Amino acid sequence: MSRHHADAMPHVNTDRLWQWHMRMARFGATGRGGVNRPALSTDDIELHKQIALWARERKFDVEIDDYGNQFMRRPGTDENCAPLVSGSHSDSQPTGGRFDGISGVLAALEAVEVMEEARIRTRHPLEIVIWNNEEGVRFRPTQMGSAVYAGHARLGPLQAAVDPQGVSLETEVDRLRQAVDFASERSLGKPFAGYLELHIEQGPILEEEQIDIGIVTSIQGTRKFEVQILGEAAHAGTTPSRNRRDALVDAVNVVKALQILFYDPLDLVRFTIGQFEVKPGALAVVPDNVFFTIDFRHHEDAVLKSLGDQVKAVCEDAAERCNVSVTETRNAHSENFPKSVQKIVETACSARGYTYRYLPSGAGHDARYLNAFCPSGMVFIPCRNGISHNEAEYADPAALAKGAQIVADTLLMLDEQLAS
Amino acid sequence: MSRHHADAMPHVNTDRLWQWHMRMARFGATGRGGVNRPALSTDDIELHKQIALWARERKFDVEIDDYGNQFMRRPGTDENCAPLVSGSHSDSQPTGGRFDGISGVLAALEAVEVMEEARIRTRHPLEIVIWNNEEGVRFRPTQMGSAVYAGHARLGPLQAAVDPQGVSLETEVDRLRQAVDFASERSLGKPFAGYLELHIEQGPILEEEQIDIGIVTSIQGTRKFEVQILGEAAHAGTTPSRNRRDALVDAVNVVKALQILFYDPLDLVRFTIGQFEVKPGALAVVPDNVFFTIDFRHHEDAVLKSLGDQVKAVCEDAAERCNVSVTETRNAHSENFPKSVQKIVETACSARGYTYRYLPSGAGHDARYLNAFCPSGMVFIPCRNGISHNEAEYADPAALAKGAQIVADTLLMLDEQLAS
């Protein structure tokens, strides 16, 4: 293993990286400091084109696949090697921020730019990727582009996906190809040598602990449930407690029991009741119907199983007078990144003197689907107050630069260590 | 005190009373066993006219006041006496039953009919009243007719009240007067010697205890509150518990604390959370906003005060991380009927060998506003499963007859005992 490449890696350019962020933030800017950039909207296509033009100026090939994933390829010294790929997504939530997704694309871009400037060659080709439709806002499901690319979803039904206005994904991919008319076709599933993705943490841990880099151990698994509680409506003034079958009273009992089930002194369990609806919803009428959702996540599959498997019984036992039904709507296991890749990121942090910690990802990311496809890893950087999916989302220029630096350094080390 | 009148009182006619109910149930019949009879709708006006025609056949005066309250007057032997009045309302909830309100009107009608047949004369004139707009569905507020008549509400704003289609109360009272064109004007506030109202219980107690007659001690007071809990929205996957300000978590804490406050082993407290709204209401977002209502009722003002005065502090103390604001939207004291009238009802029950019990009224009734106007009382009869404000509402013909009998007997005793 030759060390000279990584040692030779110069610093990324903090200002240039920040300017890239500010340029990209104009596409879909909301006027309140955020962005609204649906997947393959005109704004999003313009963004893709800007990055494709940057690549063309450097004589990199640009490729677009049938799902609108766009790849910018810097050649390697051994073109028989599969590429090392880094990037993320460019679409946003309706009131999204300027960093979610795009910062991972720009970290990869800056890493490649620095290698260009320093004339550092890698054995593997390096590819910057923009995954399409990660947020799942315009088309369903989330992480569509990466899931299809890596073979997790079948082609037909997803390509026919339409947005709420009835515009199909296929139509919009055609529009992207027209805008980036110098791009060539990319086959889905074309192999990667490795995948690395930078993302803002979207949580408060790194900022609270004043840590530069999060080394992502896993994308936590999730189980989702719907709970329906049926009682009997009654007159609030005349009906004694003993005659009531109050759905809200039992719902509160059920929620309390679930809180006990999911209580975790380590604070690693994520348990949320986000939707909670009470009917008929009249001041003087005892409610007969409560519906609520459970969003449960954990990075260990054993915990997902042991706690998740108790949900139904806990709900049923806690209800005293009403009928309870529990439906599981999703069960996705935890995705663990290989320790070898995590270790390389750690080495990169140590070499730069950056502080780091290992942590699981609470949110889902494109890297979830790449992990079974090639050796994969993720790098988190802090974001202010952990706020994301919000126009107030903010990441510091220095934090973005440190993240891009680790992406650059890690890519070089992966280039040395990974097979072709 | 002469006993001969009450002793002489013959039995009411069970079949005739039931037939009256079934005739009245045709006005606004829903086809599903219930009625939809908004105040002074065409159906309701037709009902008024039928009863007015019955009165005219017996040469009773019919009077209508400016709020659409209609009085049918059987003369007394001493026309210097103020009338003894009995009745209730004829309007219904949108999916109402065939007994709520109208059974009180018909009990008074049957009582008078039996006196006519038996040629029993009373010293006081006897009046059957149909109060207008008790339900408060078509016009606001509830119990409008009786409240205005007894001087609890000012004339101007209420008379200008309009229904959801913009039709004014005044217009509809004119329509009633045209339909009942033989009615004369009644002045608001014209004195009563006494007031007696029969109503279905709208609760399960009499039926459960297999009791014929409820002697109503009071109309329980009520305090109503709105509680607003404000936290902070956050990502369900990434935000640790320690960083959350989950409005639903605190709302559940607040509800639990309120349940402890209002817990009553005697089961006389009526505590209901009927409206409960959670925002933003998305599966994967920690809620930042919960709004709920409290409907609290009790027949003792001391309990209303002691518990109601603690609501604000209990809510504020129970919330651990969110901001809580509590607004009291209504505070109506308990209305206690005079023991003298209750005692006469008890005597009537004993004389007939009917089972009875004392109980407070959970719901509001027109008698609430008459009680400060003249000596007043209420008689409850059982209804099936305590169900009311529902098309399934049902009262047994025999139960209706026993109630009307007690109205008749009590009116005769009041006639003997009350001053002019």
Side-chain angles (χ1 to χ4, degrees):
Chain A
M1 169 175 132
S2 79
R3 300 276 311 175
H4 74 279
H5 279 164
D7 294 345
M9 186 73 204
H11 278 88
V12 301
N13 186 323
T14 304
D15 288 345
R16 179 172 58 200
L17 181 60
W18 182 253
Q19 292 311 318
W20 265 107
H21 278 89
M22 294 305 99
R23 271 174 71 190
M24 297 297 102
R26 284 186 222 133
F27 298 108
T30 58
R32 290 176 304 278
V35 298
N36 177 11
R37 198 162 55 220
L40 300 190
S41 58
T42 300
D43 282 321
D44 191 37
I45 287 173
E46 278 301 307
L47 181 152
H48 279 71
K49 187 175 174 182
Q50 287 296 307
I51 292 178
L53 288 170
W54 168 88
R56 189 169 69 165
E57 285 167 17
R58 280 148 193 80
K59 304 194 181 355
F60 299 165
D61 287 342
V62 178
E63 295 179 348
I64 295 172
D65 70 22
D66 283 349
Y67 279 78
N69 301 311
Q70 180 174 302
F71 302 80
M72 280 60 61
R73 177 188 181 94
R74 181 180 190 244
T77 56
D78 181 355
E79 279 292 308
N80 292 323
C81 289
L84 273 173
V85 183
S86 185
S88 187
H89 62 96
S90 60
D91 64 326
S92 82
Q93 292 283 326
T95 53
R98 296 171 296 171
F99 303 93
D100 179 359
I102 192 65
S103 58
V105 174
L106 296 177
L109 186 150
E110 176 62 24
V112 170
E113 188 78 309
V114 172
M115 291 185 212
E116 282 284 285
E117 289 180 325
R119 297 171 192 273
I120 296 172
R121 305 296 303 173
T122 55
R123 187 165 58 96
H124 299 80
L126 290 181
E127 288 187 352
I128 303 157
V129 63
I130 311 176
W131 297 112
N132 187 29
N133 194 50
E134 193 275 342
E135 297 290 358
V137 171
R138 186 168 185 198
F139 303 102
R140 302 271 164 168
T142 56
Q143 291 125 29
M144 179 196 276
S146 53
V148 173
Y149 188 89
H152 286 263
R154 257 177 288 156
L155 196 105
L158 291 186
Q159 204 169 20
V162 291
D163 74 1
Q165 277 70 49
V167 181
S168 76
L169 175 70
E170 205 168 358
T171 303
E172 296 301 72
V173 172
D174 284 346
R175 216 155 62 88
L176 172 66
R177 284 187 165 133
Q178 284 159 29
V180 189
D181 57 6
F182 50 89
S184 48
E185 293 267 339
R186 169 77 163 219
S187 337
L188 294 168
K190 190 179 161 190
F192 291 3
Y195 178 72
L196 183 67
E197 179 170 356
L198 174 142
H199 208 280
I200 58 170
E201 182 198 341
Q202 304 182 289
I205 296 169
L206 297 177
E207 187 189 52
E208 275 178 8
E209 301 183 3
Q210 298 190 296
I211 283 172
D212 299 321
I213 299 293
I215 303 169
V216 181
T217 53
S218 61
I219 291 178
Q220 65 187 352
T222 182
R223 296 180 75 171
K224 315 226 191 267
F225 301 87
E226 293 180 352
V227 181
Q228 180 86 60
I229 299 178
L230 293 177
E232 194 169 34
H235 192 303
T238 57
T239 317
S241 288
R242 65 178 177 279
N243 294 86
R244 295 187 182 197
R245 294 177 62 230
D246 186 324
L248 181 58
V249 167
D250 262 350
V252 166
N253 290 334
V254 170
V255 170
K256 274 282 167 196
L258 288 168
Q259 287 173 340
I260 291 167
L261 173 66
F262 286 111
Y263 173 70
D264 172 20
L266 300 176
D267 204 6
L268 297 173
V269 164
R270 300 285 172 264
F271 163 62
T272 307
I273 294 174
Q275 247 184 303
F276 191 99
E277 293 163 8
V278 179
K279 291 178 186 166
L283 170 67
V285 180
V286 174
D288 62 354
N289 189 322
V290 174
F291 168 88
F292 68 86
T293 57
I294 298 171
D295 181 311
F296 162 46
R297 311 193 200 194
H298 198 273
H299 63 286
E300 290 177 31
D301 287 336
V303 176
L304 281 173
K305 176 157 175 55
S306 72
L307 296 183
D309 286 357
Q310 294 177 66
V311 165
K312 189 174 162 67
V314 164
C315 291
E316 287 169 355
D317 290 353
E320 291 170 5
R321 299 191 186 176
C322 297
N323 299 325
V324 177
S325 60
V326 179
T327 310
E328 183 158 13
T329 55
R330 191 168 178 214
N331 186 346
H333 66 84
S334 186
E335 191 70 39
N336 298 301
F337 294 112
K339 289 206 163 47
S340 57
V341 177
Q342 297 174 41
K343 195 70 197 166
I344 292 171
V345 177
E346 181 183 332
T347 303
C349 291
S350 297
R352 293 283 172 187
Y354 296 170
T355 53
Y356 61 88
R357 65 161 282 175
Y358 287 86
L359 83 179
S361 171
H365 296 288
D366 290 307
R368 166 187 280 283
Y369 293 108
L370 276 308
N371 194 41
F373 185 71
C374 67
S376 298
M378 283 195 81
V379 171
F380 274 177
I381 58 167
C383 59
R384 191 160 64 197
N385 298 325
I387 291 171
S388 184
H389 288 189
N390 189 314
E391 292 171 275
E393 181 184 275
Y394 183 78
D396 190 68
L400 292 164
K402 283 182 177 169
Q405 190 69 62
I406 294 303
V407 168
D409 295 356
T410 303
L411 286 173
L412 285 191
M413 284 191 278
L414 285 169
D415 182 49
E416 291 169 358
Q417 297 190 16
L418 287 177
S420 57
Chain B
M1 169 175 130
S2 79
R3 300 276 310 177
H4 75 280
H5 279 164
D7 294 344
M9 186 72 203
H11 278 88
V12 301
N13 186 324
T14 304
D15 287 344
R16 177 171 60 197
L17 180 59
W18 182 252
Q19 293 310 319
W20 265 107
H21 278 89
M22 295 305 100
R23 270 174 71 190
M24 297 297 103
R26 284 185 222 134
F27 297 108
T30 59
R32 288 177 304 278
V35 298
N36 176 11
R37 197 162 55 219
L40 300 190
S41 58
T42 299
D43 283 322
D44 192 37
I45 287 174
E46 277 302 306
L47 181 153
H48 279 72
K49 188 175 174 183
Q50 287 295 307
I51 292 178
L53 287 171
W54 168 88
R56 189 169 70 166
E57 285 168 16
R58 281 147 191 80
K59 302 194 179 0
F60 300 165
D61 286 342
V62 178
E63 296 180 347
I64 295 171
D65 70 22
D66 282 348
Y67 279 79
N69 301 312
Q70 179 174 303
F71 302 81
M72 280 60 62
R73 179 188 180 93
R74 180 180 191 246
T77 56
D78 181 354
E79 277 293 307
N80 292 322
C81 288
L84 273 173
V85 183
S86 185
S88 187
H89 62 96
S90 60
D91 65 326
S92 81
Q93 292 283 325
T95 54
R98 296 171 295 170
F99 303 94
D100 179 358
I102 191 66
S103 58
V105 175
L106 296 177
L109 186 149
E110 176 62 25
V112 170
E113 188 78 309
V114 172
M115 291 185 211
E116 281 284 287
E117 289 180 325
R119 299 173 191 272
I120 296 171
R121 305 297 303 176
T122 55
R123 187 164 59 95
H124 299 79
L126 291 181
E127 288 187 352
I128 303 157
V129 63
I130 310 174
W131 298 111
N132 188 29
N133 195 50
E134 194 274 344
E135 297 288 358
V137 171
R138 185 170 183 196
F139 303 102
R140 301 270 162 171
T142 55
Q143 290 125 30
M144 179 196 276
S146 53
V148 174
Y149 189 90
H152 287 264
R154 256 176 290 157
L155 196 105
L158 290 187
Q159 205 171 19
V162 291
D163 75 2
Q165 277 70 49
V167 181
S168 76
L169 177 69
E170 204 168 358
T171 302
E172 296 300 72
V173 172
D174 284 346
R175 217 155 62 89
L176 173 65
R177 283 188 166 132
Q178 284 159 28
V180 189
D181 57 5
F182 50 89
S184 50
E185 293 267 339
R186 171 76 164 219
S187 337
L188 293 168
K190 189 179 161 190
F192 291 3
Y195 178 72
L196 184 67
E197 179 170 355
L198 174 142
H199 207 280
I200 57 169
E201 182 198 341
Q202 303 183 290
I205 295 169
L206 297 177
E207 187 188 52
E208 276 177 8
E209 301 183 2
Q210 297 190 297
I211 284 173
D212 298 321
I213 299 292
I215 303 169
V216 182
T217 53
S218 62
I219 291 178
Q220 66 187 353
T222 182
R223 296 180 75 170
K224 315 229 191 264
F225 302 86
E226 293 179 353
V227 181
Q228 181 85 60
I229 299 179
L230 293 177
E232 195 168 33
H235 192 302
T238 57
T239 317
S241 288
R242 64 177 179 280
N243 293 86
R244 296 188 181 196
R245 294 177 62 230
D246 185 324
L248 181 59
V249 167
D250 262 350
V252 167
N253 290 332
V254 170
V255 170
K256 274 282 167 196
L258 289 168
Q259 286 173 340
I260 292 166
L261 173 67
F262 286 112
Y263 174 70
D264 172 19
L266 300 176
D267 204 6
L268 298 172
V269 164
R270 299 285 172 265
F271 163 63
T272 307
I273 294 175
Q275 249 184 302
F276 191 98
E277 293 162 8
V278 178
K279 291 178 187 167
L283 169 68
V285 180
V286 174
D288 64 353
N289 189 323
V290 174
F291 167 88
F292 69 85
T293 58
I294 298 171
D295 181 311
F296 162 46
R297 312 194 200 194
H298 199 272
H299 63 286
E300 290 177 30
D301 286 337
V303 176
L304 282 174
K305 175 157 175 55
S306 71
L307 296 183
D309 287 356
Q310 294 177 65
V311 166
K312 190 174 161 65
V314 164
C315 291
E316 287 169 354
D317 290 353
E320 290 171 6
R321 300 193 185 173
C322 298
N323 299 324
V324 177
S325 61
V326 179
T327 309
E328 184 159 11
T329 54
R330 191 168 178 214
N331 185 344
H333 66 84
S334 185
E335 191 71 39
N336 299 302
F337 294 113
K339 290 207 163 47
S340 56
V341 177
Q342 296 174 43
K343 195 70 197 165
I344 292 172
V345 177
E346 180 183 332
T347 303
C349 291
S350 297
R352 292 283 172 187
Y354 295 171
T355 52
Y356 62 87
R357 66 161 281 174
Y358 287 85
L359 83 178
S361 170
H365 296 290
D366 290 308
R368 166 185 279 284
Y369 292 107
L370 276 307
N371 195 41
F373 184 71
C374 67
S376 298
M378 282 194 81
V379 171
F380 274 176
I381 58 167
C383 59
R384 190 159 65 197
N385 298 326
I387 291 171
S388 184
H389 288 189
N390 190 312
E391 292 171 273
E393 183 185 273
Y394 183 78
D396 190 69
L400 291 165
K402 284 182 177 171
Q405 190 70 61
I406 294 303
V407 168
D409 294 355
T410 303
L411 286 173
L412 284 190
M413 283 191 277
L414 285 168
D415 181 49
E416 290 169 358
Q417 296 189 17
L418 288 176
S420 59

